[in-house]
Amino acid sequence: MSTIYLASDHGGFNLKNTLVQHLKKKGHDVHDLGPADASSCDYPVKARAVTDALLNDENAFGVLVCGTGLGMSMAANRVPGIRAAVCTTEFHASYARAHNNANIICLGERVTGPGIAIDMVDIFLSTEFEGGRHLHRVSLFDK
Ligand code: RB5
């Protein structure tokens, strides 16, 4: 089981809640960092809540949801040590972990339906980083 921090903006609010419920049901240690309602809010602020949590809990994963997944990933990837991957397919979710050692999956509620989003998050959490040559490449991100 994994520790997972989730947050969204208003554009990702419903999908974030769906994922919180799903991950709790599966028995993960789930931390919903908001928002608590769908009022308009700023995605960089919500992304920062999750990146701060991950910097203090290095084995945990993050899930960030906005309308497209793009703004969340841009905001999160400005933080050294964070590797946030926008995923729209199960293949993305798998390789984001296996080759890129992503620690955050970013999803777009206006892009991806809840069924595929759930499958992608499950794949993301259950796929191990392959290390080896990928470890060297990933280490270059923060050089
Ligand atoms: C909000 O309207 C929308 O811009 C936001 O959710 C996100 O898609 C930004 O990247």
Side-chain angles (χ1 to χ4, degrees):
M1 289 299 120
S2 303
T3 298
I4 307 152
Y5 296 88
L6 300 95
S8 74
D9 69 354
H10 52 287
F13 179 69
N14 293 311
L15 181 55
K16 183 264 293 177
N17 289 342
T18 297
L19 293 169
V20 165
Q21 291 315 314
H22 169 73
L23 293 169
K24 279 186 178 168
K25 221 179 279 175
K26 290 199 81 173
H28 292 290
D29 176 24
V30 177
H31 301 261
D32 180 356
L33 303 185
D37 64 51
S39 313
S40 183
C41 61
D42 298 327
Y43 59 81
V45 175
K46 302 300 174 186
R48 185 53 70 91
V50 168
T51 59
D52 282 350
L54 291 195
L55 294 182
N56 287 310
D57 193 351
E58 65 176 29
N59 294 317
F61 292 105
V63 177
L64 286 168
V65 192
C66 61
T68 59
L70 296 172
M72 284 295 197
S73 69
M74 291 177 192
N77 278 319
R78 299 185 72 87
V79 178
I82 296 299
R83 296 171 300 280
V86 186
C87 295
T88 57
T89 66
E90 292 90 335
F91 189 80
H92 279 141
S94 169
Y95 278 83
R97 289 285 311 127
H99 285 193
N100 308 119
N101 200 19
N103 49 12
I104 297 181
I105 182 169
C106 299
L107 301 168
E109 181 179 322
R110 297 172 187 161
V111 179
T112 301
I116 292 175
I118 285 170
D119 284 353
M120 285 197 287
V121 169
D122 285 347
I123 288 167
F124 185 84
L125 294 174
S126 62
T127 304
E128 295 290 332
F129 178 46
E130 289 177 10
R133 68 189 188 281
H134 302 296
L135 180 60
H136 167 66
R137 291 168 184 160
V138 166
S139 77
L140 297 175
F141 287 153
D142 294 324
K143 286 261 153 55

